[in-house]
Amino acid sequence: VDNIPAVKGISEKIALELIQKFGSLESLLKHINEIAPAKIKQTIEDNQERIKLNRELAVLNKDMQLDFNPDRLKIGEPDYKELFKLFKELEFKALLKNLPVAEGEKPDLEVSILKDKELKDLFSQQDKLFLYGNSCAELVFCVKDKILRTDSIGMNLKDILANPKIKKIGHDLKKIKVSLNKQNFVFEGLFFDTMVAAYLINPSKADYGLAELAWDYLGKSIRTDSLDSPEALSIILELTPKLEKQLYEKKLIKLFCEIEMPLVEVLAEMEITGIKLDLELLKKLSEDLEKRLARLIAEIYKISESEFNINSPKQLSQVLFEKLKLPVVKKTKTGPSTDEEVLNKLADRHQLPARLLEYRQLTKLKSTYIDALPNLVDSQTHRIHTSFNQTSTETGRLSSSRPNLQNIPIKTDLGKRIREAIISFSQHSYLVSGDYSQIELRILGHLSQDETLRLAFKQNEDIHCKTASLIYGLDEKEVTQNMRDVAKRVNFGIVYGLSAYGLSRDLQIGQEQAQGFIDAYFSRYPKVKWYIDEQIARAEKEGFVTTILGRRRYLPEIKNKNQSIRSLAQRQAVNTPIQGSASDIIKLAMVEIRRGIKEKGFKGRMVLQIHDELVFDVPEDELKEFIALIRDKMEHVLELDVPMKVDIKVGRNWAQMESLKEEIK
């Protein structure tokens, strides 16, 4: 009975008085002429139909003929299969975890146990090997439609795993390779990874676990925690041909075979190699930061004239908005917001928000990196071994975790000190960095085919200075540093689909002036505007966009009626082919550099990938040839209509590196 509209002008008090006077609603409507005062009488008379409808809505209908059987109301055992389907469809993940395993769904699999010596003949002619498990003791294989495992780990098993000619098919092969390496097993011949294939087919999923893929492609309701190794292997066997078919249908098979699968090996080797830290530097940094934070906290208390829990949004809110009377910028369900955006806006009005921002940045870096990194050092290798995530972004970019090294600030002093703690493996080796210069703008020049943009890169011009001269209508010699900075933001803003509103906020200028910059940009680079319109139109027509090498990203919200949601999808339609192509190029470079390292027998190793940058540890006597390999592969791995340029730096640690304008003689 919620939300039944009241009759305007009749309050609850007046309604009660009328009902009490006439005894019932029916009686009231029969004696409208007796209602006083005249205004109330007229209101009731004008709204008779509304009053009758309201009564009909509020009163239960007792005359319904129901086929009522009390036995049907007894609580019985649910249909777990149907519940699984429903919870999957509605994404009720917590409820899914609590569902009991449907025993009827579990396959009855026969597993043969073989001795190591029996493996030799089985695999001598075996072209493809399906396998699953994270240790040699747990590994199960499929040979000639039979699932088997070995009861002893011997040379035959080692040879099979190390043989690159035996094509390995499984789920999350990188994890298997890293795990086997810890047990001193070589694992080569990684051929088809169902997790990577599923990611390439649909990069927007949050989960690429076997149970999730079994539901998506096989219609099987399986709980992840109920899977044993033979069952997991049977799912891999069923999934592989279905995924392979989709890779061919969506023209993704070349990308899968030439980039993503070879990259599995590259990333596994990077994880195994690890990164060396200067632990003494981190220890000193932590101690210094502790003192700095103590001084900052004392300063915050002095400015606010009170002591409070700085990490408590509620207490902080009271200090900022009740005590200091600063304006509320935005609200949350629990009260005024104290997030970073709010503090940045309030920093011009009072010194406390600026100190709070500094406190948050320092505590975050201290807990996330300075104090956390030493705890992640492996006791045997004395290095940290980050995990590189190949299936976590919709654009194809890689990410890393435990630790996430991609978010260390590059421009702050503290960020530089943390990078200083990432060092070369020995006194006889150096860290070498290869960083793509403005790769996304170069890809924009290639995709848009804008002559002015392409020519600027071909002539090795300063693209930001060039853009500044065009949008300000000045000679390049007259462009100031501030103008160049504005042009740089416009350049990259265009790549990310920035609107006049967004640019005005970014540059802290009027929206009209920001729109003027964008208009001037498009008038000087007209084909860039054509590219943007073309990408949005294509996304609306086909439902997806592609990179230069064919990677897809689906954009179902491109036709959403909500303008903000639709606008986001449009920005993604413009940016994904650019950012995704940059990701494809650096991945391809990683594959080719690794191949070059193997061919030349270098001892140098790739250790890090951070967006457009690759970091290597290289012995001193290999520097010249190794750097030549990096530059050659990174700059020529894919020929575009504009030249690709790589900045090479060399140093003992990641922060203190010198640019290498020319190759080492």
Side-chain angles (χ1 to χ4, degrees), residues 420-477:
E420 198 178 323
I422 295 174
I423 59 175
S424 61
F425 291 170
S426 75
Q427 290 299 311
H428 305 291
S429 69
Y430 286 86
L431 290 184
V432 177
S433 162
D435 192 357
Y436 277 115
S437 171
Q438 302 168 339
I439 188 169
E440 292 188 349
L441 293 177
R442 292 171 189 270
I443 289 169
L444 176 62
H446 171 83
L447 290 172
S448 68
Q449 291 289 294
D450 187 274
E451 286 301 325
T452 307
L453 198 54
R454 288 164 64 197
L455 190 62
F457 284 121
K458 285 178 180 178
Q459 294 179 345
N460 200 27
E461 294 184 56
D462 179 336
I463 193 64
H464 302 313
C465 189
K466 174 77 172 178
T467 299
S469 73
L470 293 174
I471 64 175
Y472 284 103
L474 299 170
D475 188 274
E476 286 186 42
K477 294 177 183 177

Side-chain angles (χ1 to χ4, degrees), residues 8-50:
K8 196 173 181 181
I10 307 293
S11 66
E12 186 177 347
K13 182 182 176 183
I14 294 170
L16 280 170
E17 289 174 355
L18 289 171
I19 295 297
Q20 286 170 351
K21 179 178 179 181
F22 291 99
S24 69
L25 191 63
E26 289 83 353
S27 176
L28 169 68
L29 293 174
K30 286 178 182 177
H31 300 88
I32 290 176
N33 290 332
E34 299 173 24
I35 297 173
K39 187 177 179 181
I40 300 296
K41 172 190 167 186
Q42 189 62 47
T43 301
I44 298 292
E45 193 167 12
D46 292 344
N47 288 277
Q48 289 184 69
E49 293 306 313
R50 164 54 63 193

Side-chain angles (χ1 to χ4, degrees), residues 54-91:
N54 283 359
R55 187 183 189 283
E56 188 180 334
L57 291 171
V59 176
L60 292 175
N61 186 343
K62 299 177 183 178
D63 300 326
M64 290 289 292
Q65 295 300 312
L66 296 174
D67 180 16
F68 179 67
N69 181 354
D71 289 335
R72 290 178 62 191
L73 301 180
K74 289 180 182 176
I75 297 174
E77 193 72 10
D79 185 334
Y80 289 114
K81 190 174 180 180
E82 288 301 314
L83 266 184
F84 185 94
K85 289 179 182 177
L86 183 64
F87 291 171
K88 267 287 187 187
E89 183 184 344
L90 300 175
E91 298 184 6

Side-chain angles (χ1 to χ4, degrees), residues 218-314:
L218 308 174
K220 291 187 175 182
S221 51
I222 299 165
R223 277 243 313 269
T224 304
D225 55 6
S226 75
L227 275 176
D228 60 25
S229 294
E231 289 164 352
L233 186 56
S234 71
I235 291 169
I236 292 167
L237 285 165
E238 284 190 78
L239 274 174
T240 301
K242 291 183 180 292
L243 294 172
E244 191 174 21
K245 184 183 177 187
Q246 287 219 23
L247 288 172
Y248 274 104
E249 288 176 350
K250 296 185 175 182
K251 299 177 181 176
L252 294 166
I253 193 69
K254 188 176 180 183
L255 187 65
F256 178 75
C257 294
E258 295 183 5
I259 296 183
E260 294 296 342
M261 279 312 303
L263 188 71
V264 175
E265 302 238 22
V266 179
L267 298 179
E269 288 176 4
M270 288 168 70
E271 289 185 17
I272 290 164
T273 301
I275 299 152
K276 191 173 181 184
L277 296 177
D278 185 335
L279 295 177
E280 284 300 314
L281 189 149
L282 286 172
K283 183 181 177 184
K284 186 177 185 308
L285 198 54
S286 180
E287 292 168 355
D288 291 347
L289 198 55
E290 198 69 50
K291 295 172 185 175
R292 185 175 167 185
L293 279 167
R295 292 194 298 270
L296 186 58
I297 290 168
E299 192 178 350
I300 287 170
Y301 290 160
K302 185 179 179 181
I303 292 169
S304 59
E305 297 180 351
S306 63
E307 292 191 10
F308 62 98
N309 183 354
I310 301 171
N311 299 315
S312 166
K314 185 177 180 182

Side-chain angles (χ1 to χ4, degrees), residues 618-653:
V618 184
E620 191 169 3
D621 59 359
E622 290 181 359
L623 272 176
K624 182 181 177 182
E625 284 188 85
F626 207 104
I627 288 168
L629 173 70
I630 294 169
R631 189 180 295 283
D632 177 57
K633 296 301 183 187
M634 290 185 76
E635 292 188 343
H636 302 291
V637 73
L638 187 69
E639 296 299 337
L640 303 180
D641 289 338
V642 295
M644 282 191 283
K645 186 181 175 185
V646 173
D647 296 327
I648 305 284
K649 291 182 180 179
V650 179
R652 293 288 189 187
N653 64 63

Side-chain angles (χ1 to χ4, degrees), residues 310-436:
I310 301 171
N311 299 315
S312 166
K314 185 177 180 182
Q315 291 185 34
L316 180 56
S317 176
Q318 288 171 343
V319 171
L320 289 172
F321 306 115
E322 293 177 24
K323 186 174 183 180
L324 299 179
K325 306 295 182 186
L326 291 171
V328 174
V329 177
K330 65 179 180 180
K331 290 186 176 181
T332 65
K333 291 179 181 178
T334 55
S337 172
T338 58
D339 66 14
E340 187 177 337
E341 182 188 357
V342 169
L343 294 180
N344 272 315
K345 286 187 175 179
L346 295 175
D348 292 337
R349 291 174 171 264
H350 199 279
Q351 57 183 321
L352 181 59
R355 298 293 183 276
L356 292 168
L357 284 167
E358 184 184 358
Y359 170 82
R360 286 185 182 179
Q361 184 195 47
L362 296 181
T363 52
K364 184 178 179 181
L365 289 175
K366 188 174 186 295
S367 62
T368 307
Y369 296 109
I370 297 168
D371 293 342
L373 288 177
N375 295 327
L376 295 172
V377 173
D378 187 279
S379 59
Q380 292 182 316
T381 66
H382 306 294
R383 298 175 188 173
I384 55 171
H385 300 268
T386 186
S387 293
F388 292 98
N389 307 314
Q390 194 174 353
T391 61
S392 60
T393 69
E394 291 188 63
T395 59
R397 267 192 170 186
L398 296 170
S399 66
S400 67
S401 54
R402 284 189 54 81
N404 177 4
L405 297 171
Q406 296 191 334
N407 285 350
I408 301 174
I410 194 168
K411 293 180 180 177
T412 66
D413 290 338
L414 189 55
K416 288 173 184 174
R417 293 298 307 279
I418 295 169
R419 285 170 175 251
E420 198 178 323
I422 295 174
I423 59 175
S424 61
F425 291 170
S426 75
Q427 290 299 311
H428 305 291
S429 69
Y430 286 86
L431 290 184
V432 177
S433 162
D435 192 357
Y436 277 115

